[in-house]
Amino acid sequence: MSTSATTATHDAIVIGGGPAGSAAAGLLAKAGFDVLLLEKEQFPRYHIGESLIPGLNSVIDELGAREAIEAANFTSKPGISLLWGGEGKLWSIAFGESGPYEYTWQVKRADFDLILLEHARKLGALVVEHATVRDILTEGDRVTGVTYSLGKGAEPVSAKAHFVIDASGQSKIIPRKFDLVEYHDDLKNLAVWSYYQGGTSVPDAPKGNILVENHPDGWLWVIPFSDGSKSVGFVGPNDAVASDKRPPIELLEEQISTSQIAKSMLEGTTRVADCRTAKDWSYTCRSFSGPGYILVGDSAAFIDPLFSTGVTLAMKGASSAAATVAASLKQPDREEEFRREYDTGLGEFLDSVLSFVRFFYDASRDVEAYWAKAKTLVDPIGLMTDRQDFIVMVSGLNAELPVMQPHLDAAPDGVAEGRNAHSRNRGDEWAHVSTVTEK
């Protein structure tokens, strides 16, 4: 492959400008590192994954992006309402019952992602859009950079870096190159969704809650936005949904018409967008880093969207990755140690989420059984009530616990504190720890 004569060198190259890439690039740039972010599209651009959970709030604060997020007037999301469990009743949880955050947001991802990308620019990252990564550069077994092109027919450009952070989403550029992806056969689902104007909120629940409703064929979501529209989707087993030969919108509207709560919320609404479909095939990479590279977000793993964990997983992973890269740049002789800690922490967090999703998919259990399962995963010594443990789990706040923190205590210049961590002292009391330090 031909490349340009001049090769730029950076501390880090980030592939992808979604929440994972923007967060990783922004945090490293904020710490004084030279960061190049390559995004193949022009923002704003459409993306699914619109209902957030509080696990990402700490990264928003770490980036210093809360003011911009609040100014966008997204719908505040104070909790989750579920029609789930053997009792067949609607029940709700409030985030503020356990943990430091009373709410997070329901967002149009085009707007939310643009805010994060622009914030990464403001923090000092060099952001290049319309940049398609063509290949990963290696020297021996070490990743040393990328080649990319700007637009169709453009001459490829080489860029080198001490680290490449793959935040390419489900493109999984590095995992595909190194054959790292392992699918979870029991979680091969397909999602069908569209958008409706009007309707009502979840009955007898705080305004802004997402509805997650069990259905004999799968489950439905209803997400309210600040403009009065709603994202409405159905998730079911891939084989069953794919074998349905009707147009996707007919499938979606049949599931809505046979629902209990979603149907009533959508009475009198008007569909205002085309119907979309996507494979929700859960997967995890065998490892999340290697010499000269680290994976974040959907590039590292995709977990079933039942609890809206995607963006939190992306941003918390990016925060941990930024700390790992920062420490490795400071002490390159300890890179392998730091990467191993990142792999372990992310792997344990993913395992806990997967375990809970698999348990929760049995909708015949009593609600208290879901709470008890959450306790075994996040609070086995019983510092909180079962209900609080459940809220921590579905809020993504278990990512705040030490399991997601690289143990970089020996790193210099405070890089060990280069985590926006929250440590749980007891019950619902959380102590804040600072962000990635200056270079």
Side-chain angles (χ1 to χ4, degrees):
M1 177 180 292
S2 61
T3 61
S4 62
T6 302
T7 300
T9 302
H10 307 272
D11 291 321
I13 294 172
V14 179
I15 306 173
S22 291
L27 290 172
L28 285 169
K30 183 180 179 182
F33 293 99
D34 175 8
V35 185
L36 171 66
L37 187 156
L38 302 172
E39 167 53 47
K40 67 180 179 180
E41 298 187 46
Q42 175 73 48
F43 277 37
R45 55 91 177 96
Y46 176 82
H47 207 285
I48 193 62
E50 300 148 326
S51 190
L52 308 182
I53 55 176
L56 60 72
N57 286 26
S58 61
V59 187
I60 296 294
D61 292 334
E62 186 179 5
L63 285 161
R66 179 174 287 269
E67 182 178 355
I69 297 296
E70 296 286 13
N73 293 317
F74 296 124
T75 293
S76 293
K77 176 186 175 183
I80 305 171
S81 296
L82 304 105
L83 183 65
W84 206 282
E87 298 93 333
K89 296 180 180 179
L90 181 69
W91 52 288
S92 300
I93 58 100
F95 297 136
E97 293 181 59
S98 185
Y101 302 110
E102 297 288 334
Y103 67 92
T104 185
W105 302 275
Q106 315 276 23
V107 302
K108 298 285 184 72
R109 283 288 300 280
D111 300 328
F112 179 78
D113 292 7
L114 178 61
I115 290 170
L116 294 181
L117 188 70
E118 290 181 337
H119 193 73
R121 278 194 175 103
K122 291 176 183 177
L123 291 173
L126 175 59
V127 176
V128 182
E129 295 174 87
H130 296 292
T132 301
V133 172
R134 300 297 183 185
D135 200 5
I136 301 298
L137 301 176
T138 59
E139 294 179 9
D141 64 351
R142 185 173 186 84
V143 168
T144 57
V146 303
T147 60
Y148 67 96
S149 58
L150 295 173
K152 293 182 179 179
E155 190 73 7
V157 177
S158 291
K160 289 197 170 185
H162 299 292
F163 265 92
V164 174
I165 299 175
D166 188 343
S168 63
Q170 298 204 15
S171 296
K172 303 185 287 291
I173 291 176
I174 289 179
R176 290 182 189 276
K177 182 178 181 69
F178 297 144
D179 191 26
L180 298 175
V181 182
E182 295 182 338
Y183 287 93
H184 305 299
D185 290 337
D186 60 324
L187 293 173
K188 286 188 175 181
N189 295 323
L190 194 145
V192 183
W193 73 95
S194 190
Y195 297 85
Y196 295 79
Q197 190 69 37
T200 59
S201 300
V202 180
D204 302 318
K207 186 177 181 181
N209 273 18
I210 183 177
L211 172 71
V212 177
E213 177 173 343
N214 181 52
H215 187 281
D217 298 328
W219 59 275
L220 292 136
W221 78 72
V222 180
I223 301 169
F225 296 125
S226 57
D227 61 5
S229 65
K230 291 177 173 62
S231 171
V232 183
F234 169 76
V235 178
N238 180 75
D239 292 344
V241 177
S243 64
D244 193 313
K245 301 305 180 184
R246 292 174 296 170
I249 188 58
E250 293 185 14
L251 170 64
L252 174 61
E253 296 198 333
E254 179 184 334
Q255 306 304 324
I256 294 171
S257 70
T258 54
S259 67
Q260 297 183 52
I261 306 299
K263 177 182 178 180
S264 64
M265 292 175 62
L266 297 171
E267 287 182 1
T269 60
T270 301
R271 185 165 62 89
V272 292
D274 290 339
C275 190
R276 296 173 179 263
T277 63
K279 290 181 179 179
D280 281 335
W281 288 15
S282 295
Y283 58 83
T284 304
C285 288
R286 288 194 301 277
S287 62
F288 309 117
S289 68
Y293 74 86
I294 196 164
L295 312 178
V296 294
D298 285 358
S299 182
F302 176 79
I303 305 300
D304 187 283
L306 183 60
F307 293 118
S308 306
T309 54
V311 182
T312 288
L313 173 61
M315 296 187 70
K316 290 300 298 184
S319 178
S320 292
T324 302
V325 170
S328 298
L329 290 169
K330 287 284 189 178
Q331 295 190 77
D333 59 317
R334 298 182 64 189
E335 176 193 326
E336 185 177 355
E337 172 191 347
F338 297 149
R339 288 193 292 100
R340 185 170 58 250
E341 295 289 353
Y342 174 80
D343 277 23
T344 299
L346 181 56
E348 291 181 4
F349 176 61
L350 290 169
D351 286 347
S352 70
V353 174
L354 271 169
S355 176
F356 192 66
V357 166
R358 285 169 167 149
F359 185 87
F360 201 84
Y361 253 112
D362 182 351
S364 67
R365 305 179 193 272
D366 292 340
V367 171
E368 289 79 5
Y370 304 128
W371 298 355
K373 177 64 173 179
K375 177 175 286 292
T376 68
L377 295 170
V378 303
D379 183 28
I381 62 174
L383 295 176
M384 295 183 286
T385 67
D386 289 3
R387 180 180 172 89
Q388 286 177 317
D389 291 322
F390 177 83
I391 294 168
V392 167
M393 188 76 209
V394 301
S395 299
L397 292 172
N398 51 324
E400 307 285 9
L401 306 182
V403 69
M404 275 289 281
Q405 316 310 327
H407 304 295
L408 307 179
D409 296 335
D413 301 331
V415 174
E417 289 76 41
R419 301 294 310 106
N420 183 23
H422 287 75
S423 61
R424 181 154 48 80
N425 294 327
R426 64 180 184 277
D428 59 357
E429 296 180 10
W430 301 71
H432 187 267
V433 184
S434 63
T435 183
V436 180
T437 57
E438 294 298 318
K439 184 177 179 181

